[in-house]
Amino acid sequence: MDRRTFLKAGAVTATATALSVSSLAPFVEAEENTDVEFDEVFDIIVVGSGLAGTTSAITAAEQGNKVLVVDKMNILGGTSLISGLNFSCVGSDEQKARGIKDSPELMAQDMRKVSEDYGDPELALTVATMTTRFYHFLKDRGVVFKEFKQLGGHSVARAVWAGGGAFVIRPLHDYAKKSLADRLTMRKRCRVDNIVFDNGRAVGIQVRENYYFNFDAPEKDDEQNQTGKIKYVGARKGIVFASGGYCRDKKLLGAEADILEETNSDANPGARSGTLQMLLSHGAQAVNLSLFRLAYPIPTEDLMWGMLVNPEGKRFVNEFGNRNTIGMTILKEKQKFDGKAPLLIYDQTGADNFHDKQRFQLSMDAKNGYQGTMYKFQSIKEVAKHFGYDPLVLQKAVADYNAALDSGVDKEFSKDFSQMNGAALKKAPFYAMPLTPKCTYTPGGVRINKAAQMLNSTTGEIFTGLFAAGEATGGVHGAMRLTACSVPDCGAFGLISGDNVSAMIPVELQVKKK
Amino acid sequence: MKKLLIVLGVLVIASIAFVYEGMNAKEQSKETAVNMPATTLPASKLTELQKDYPSKNDQHKKLGFDCVTCHGDFKDPKEVLPLQKEQCLTCHGDYKKVAKRTSFLDKKEVNPHDGFHHKDQLDCADCHREHKPSVNYCANCHDTKVWMKSTP
């Protein structure tokens, strides 16, 4: 059964249980029905258990609401759980202790500098304005910040770090379990298939419980997965979609820009567009879906110490460039060679020059994500053997590169050799890895206003009862999300959606008699 | 014939209980009571289902497991779900014990049963499969071959 037929079947079931589900035609008005019967009813439903969803749910539960969090995956926490979660924050204790002057306006300005004018500046300012409150929200609920950092693109030092996503998500989930158990329920393996509307207002969702994500063929999960049992859950006040991005959805990425199909991703395997498509089918507005953020297992700034060669043993790019230029060039090169990634090689001096040695070590330990492993070799011949190159071809490439370095001028790609600090391909041991840019974040998604309300593309009005937060939304960051700005985004719109959904006047919903 | 089956059944249950006790003694965990779920499914149906859904786990096969041993009783095979960790752990002790077995991977924080990201949150069946070849869940995001061998 394909997705469409499934939805049809779902719609039939919906009619049978006297529900109004407008899943088939995007612009059909939701049928009005006051006799809606639900298997369960909560005040608020939050879709997604990552940082945005968790923040929204805790905020709403603390204001006395009965909240249900659903997540389709086998574990809770989403991509947040496996992310670094550096947090750009204005007004942290760390900033105060160092006497650093900062303001929301300055942070928003930094965010807009890399946005290439895509997206909505008002949303960026909203994010920056909410950081102080979010900082205390996290600290008061058990998150401990271990480090304070000055990160690239930020005009002042403002990033705090708890040690990784697990050190943010776990304390929050533990807190919810301990202090909000009577009001907050988190349910994994529960996928949202549709929204139930009543009098034009979103009043519930159609879910499948005991949903088993198809890890064997994840790219077909949205279309083909039939697991789970259909249930209807009501939301008296509203629904918050914090359902994440679509980094793993090669089909959508490829439709937006062909070469993006060549990217790797180590986001949550469930980071696909099923929920986004469902929201669009009801008229939600998609913005900035073509945008993407490329990253590498090792810092972009440390690519320059090495040489990049394609499968023919030829250089093709200035290794000392910006992340997206190098990334796009690599992706095009991969297309030329049937998806085979170019090779990045360092010598010992190059490895010693790394500004971020922790990430170099992570790569040596094979802990730097999918295809993020660096290997060590005693000779270029060994490198060639390991990666399937003709040794003579690779040795010639190395000799040419060294000769160019000795001459001081890169005639081919104008790399600034004066900055190399001795790095060449001369001093054994050598370090090498195939290099593919990862798509780590999708800045596009559903359009919201600064109150986290979802907007309707046909009417331009808000959807009553529908909110969105985090990577599921679009237009907050624009072209290149600034480092450490996803956490404040999840935090800001998590808090705002939590506040505003709590403030909704509840509708009365019936629970099905058993 | 029916009587013979019952006798055989009792023998199988007894021997499983015996083997469990042995396993548990070796691993020095507290005693685990093994309750073989009762089933309304006829033996012939169970045999048929075992042909359709064969086990790939030699240890389980040796112990003579049938569908209901792990899945509990059911009427329609379609309603049978993959196992959650709690179900596996009724025999395999607790998560900590399982994590201890792979504690040699702790040094690099890549113990799959006590990992950096997921701690004890994963279900056993996320990696260990009974009816299909096992997989490595960590490989969804990592080059796991450098850390460990294939999943049993």
Side-chain angles (χ1 to χ4, degrees):
Chain A
M1 202 167 22
D2 62 20
R3 181 174 162 74
R4 188 149 279 265
T5 8
F6 167 74
L7 284 174
K8 264 184 201 162
V12 171
T13 325
T15 321
T17 48
L19 285 163
S20 61
V21 179
S22 67
S23 58
L24 294 174
F27 303 117
V28 169
E29 279 285 307
E31 288 166 43
E32 310 296 315
N33 199 323
T34 45
D35 304 323
V36 178
E37 283 192 334
F38 291 102
D39 296 287
E40 283 176 284
V41 171
F42 291 81
D43 293 318
I44 289 156
I45 299 171
V46 177
V47 183
S49 62
L51 186 56
T54 300
T55 302
S56 185
I58 288 178
T59 306
E62 284 177 344
Q63 296 181 31
N65 295 293
K66 208 179 148 209
V67 182
L68 173 70
V69 176
V70 296
D71 196 301
K72 72 176 176 185
M73 298 306 286
N74 56 325
I75 47 157
L76 297 171
T79 296
S80 305
L81 183 68
I82 52 171
S83 298
L85 296 200
N86 281 298
F87 171 23
S88 276
C89 177
V90 177
S92 66
D93 297 343
E94 287 80 353
Q95 272 193 334
K96 276 182 205 151
R98 290 163 182 80
I100 292 167
K101 274 199 185 141
D102 198 3
S103 70
E105 288 74 19
L106 187 60
M107 177 172 152
Q109 205 181 310
D110 289 343
M111 288 171 74
R112 292 303 294 166
K113 260 186 215 156
V114 293
S115 70
E116 290 173 20
D117 291 319
Y118 285 96
D120 183 348
E122 201 182 35
L123 295 179
L125 184 59
T126 306
V127 166
T129 307
M130 294 294 288
T131 53
T132 314
R133 179 174 157 200
F134 189 50
Y135 173 81
H136 292 290
F137 174 93
L138 292 175
K139 277 187 92 165
D140 294 349
R141 284 154 194 80
V143 176
V144 178
F145 294 112
K146 295 177 188 144
E147 275 182 43
F148 180 66
K149 307 176 182 178
Q150 162 85 60
L151 293 177
H154 291 273
S155 48
V156 296
R158 59 163 79 96
V160 288
W161 186 61
F167 295 97
V168 177
I169 294 298
R170 221 174 281 139
L172 291 179
H173 286 184
D174 287 348
Y175 163 79
K177 248 186 250 164
K178 219 175 119 197
S179 306
L180 301 166
D182 56 329
R183 277 164 282 168
L184 178 54
T185 309
M186 294 188 125
R187 204 169 284 172
K188 62 181 183 179
R189 291 203 172 104
C190 185
R191 183 189 195 270
V192 177
D193 286 340
N194 220 331
I195 301 170
V196 181
F197 289 96
D198 186 18
N199 284 317
R201 173 173 174 165
V203 294
I205 51 175
Q206 177 193 323
V207 299
R208 274 182 286 161
E209 282 190 346
N210 282 318
Y211 184 83
Y212 279 78
F213 182 81
N214 186 356
F215 283 98
D216 296 332
E219 68 287 350
K220 292 176 187 150
D221 185 75
D222 278 329
E223 289 84 5
Q224 293 179 1
N225 192 329
Q226 292 173 46
T227 61
K229 202 174 162 211
I230 293 177
K231 255 193 171 184
Y232 294 90
V233 189
R236 289 184 203 98
K237 289 188 172 178
I239 305 153
V240 180
F241 280 88
S243 38
Y246 52 89
C247 278
R248 293 263 194 173
D249 198 319
K250 292 280 178 79
K251 216 166 113 190
L252 177 55
L253 287 172
E256 292 289 346
D258 188 40
I259 56 167
L260 292 181
E261 283 192 40
E262 303 290 343
T263 53
N264 285 342
S265 177
D266 34 32
N268 179 352
R272 293 169 200 279
S273 67
T275 307
L276 172 67
Q277 308 291 1
M278 183 276 286
L279 293 172
L280 300 189
S281 79
H282 289 292
Q285 184 173 3
V287 285
N288 294 170
L289 293 192
S290 298
L291 300 178
F292 54 91
R293 183 176 200 268
L294 298 182
Y296 307 89
I298 51 169
T300 312
E301 302 91 312
D302 290 321
L303 295 179
M304 64 173 287
W305 313 117
M307 172 180 80
L308 267 169
V309 287
N310 67 20
E312 284 177 347
K314 298 234 157 59
R315 281 180 72 214
F316 57 92
V317 72
N318 177 358
E319 295 90 347
F320 191 11
N322 80 49
R323 79 170 61 226
N324 273 12
T325 310
I326 298 177
M328 297 299 269
T329 316
I330 292 175
L331 293 175
K332 279 180 213 159
E333 209 63 21
K334 275 189 79 179
Q335 271 190 329
K336 264 193 240 166
F337 293 98
D338 292 329
K340 196 162 184 245
L343 191 63
L344 175 66
I345 316 173
Y346 298 98
D347 71 352
Q348 185 60 51
T349 314
D352 291 340
N353 284 350
F354 262 64
H355 91 289
D356 189 340
K357 296 217 164 47
Q358 184 239 346
R359 273 170 78 183
F360 179 79
Q361 195 52 47
L362 272 181
S363 270
M364 290 303 294
D365 291 345
K367 294 201 299 197
N368 218 348
Y370 180 67
Q371 290 185 359
T373 308
M374 182 103 70
Y375 300 86
K376 187 175 174 180
F377 304 93
Q378 289 312 317
S379 68
I380 295 297
K381 210 171 153 189
E382 273 181 33
V383 178
K385 200 177 152 206
H386 188 270
F387 292 102
Y389 279 79
D390 179 343
L392 294 175
V393 169
L394 199 59
Q395 277 164 339
K396 183 176 184 301
V398 168
D400 290 350
Y401 179 71
N402 283 334
L405 272 170
D406 291 340
S407 78
V409 185
D410 180 10
K411 282 184 188 146
E412 284 180 295
F413 301 100
S414 312
K415 183 169 172 177
D416 184 358
F417 282 157
S418 69
Q419 307 282 323
M420 294 298 285
N421 195 23
L425 291 176
K426 293 174 182 170
K427 191 179 164 193
F430 300 96
Y431 302 86
M433 71 191 300
L435 192 71
T436 293
K438 304 191 271 190
C439 174
T440 54
Y441 188 86
T442 45
V446 293
R447 188 174 167 216
I448 52 166
N449 61 16
K450 62 179 184 174
Q453 291 161 310
M454 220 186 281
L455 296 166
N456 188 316
S457 62
T458 43
T459 61
E461 305 281 318
I462 60 156
F463 282 99
T464 313
L466 285 187
F467 299 79
E471 201 183 342
T473 68
V476 178
H477 301 283
M480 274 197 275
R481 175 178 67 69
L482 189 61
T483 290
C485 284
S486 188
V487 174
D489 176 11
C490 292
F493 289 106
L495 292 169
I496 292 171
S497 62
D499 284 345
N500 291 348
V501 73
S502 298
M504 294 285 290
I505 296 163
V507 286
E508 224 166 274
L509 301 174
Q510 286 176 16
V511 183
K512 197 170 16 184
K513 285 186 196 94
K514 281 179 183 161
Chain B
M1 183 64 193
K2 218 176 191 180
K3 264 186 190 164
L4 184 67
L5 271 178
I6 294 172
V7 171
L8 271 177
V10 169
L11 274 175
V12 167
I13 292 170
S15 59
I16 288 171
F18 178 76
V19 174
Y20 276 133
E21 215 152 281
M23 275 166 65
N24 289 337
K26 203 171 84 189
E27 304 199 44
Q28 291 174 343
S29 85
K30 59 177 189 272
E31 224 172 274
T32 315
V34 181
N35 295 315
M36 295 297 283
T39 178
T40 48
L41 288 166
S44 60
K45 179 72 183 167
L46 282 174
T47 315
E48 187 190 311
L49 281 171
Q50 263 171 306
K51 256 184 215 152
D52 294 345
Y53 304 94
S55 168
K56 287 194 177 296
N57 184 318
D58 290 339
Q59 199 60 35
H60 288 174
K61 274 197 279 195
K62 223 185 271 177
L63 293 166
F65 281 16
D66 60 22
C67 314
V68 295
T69 315
C70 296
H71 292 290
D73 198 19
F74 56 89
K75 287 197 178 69
D76 182 355
K78 277 183 200 143
E79 67 191 38
V80 172
L81 293 173
L83 255 54
Q84 307 216 343
K85 58 177 181 285
E86 292 76 11
Q87 293 166 284
C88 306
L89 292 174
T90 52
C91 293
H92 288 273
D94 58 25
Y95 223 101
K96 276 196 190 109
K97 196 174 92 181
V98 179
K100 215 172 163 188
R101 283 177 162 186
T102 45
S103 58
F104 61 94
L105 290 160
D106 280 342
K107 205 172 65 188
K108 289 194 166 179
E109 296 181 293
V110 295
N111 184 344
H113 304 113
D114 185 19
F116 177 76
H117 304 297
H118 302 121
K119 291 284 173 199
D120 57 359
Q121 294 301 303
L122 292 172
D123 278 321
C124 310
D126 289 336
C127 295
H128 306 280
R129 306 269 180 86
E130 186 74 22
H131 304 291
K132 281 192 277 181
S134 290
V135 294
N136 190 329
Y137 183 81
C138 306
N140 280 309
C141 302
H142 290 282
D143 298 336
T144 51
K145 277 182 196 150
V146 187
W147 309 343
M148 56 188 119
K149 292 176 184 161
S150 53
T151 311

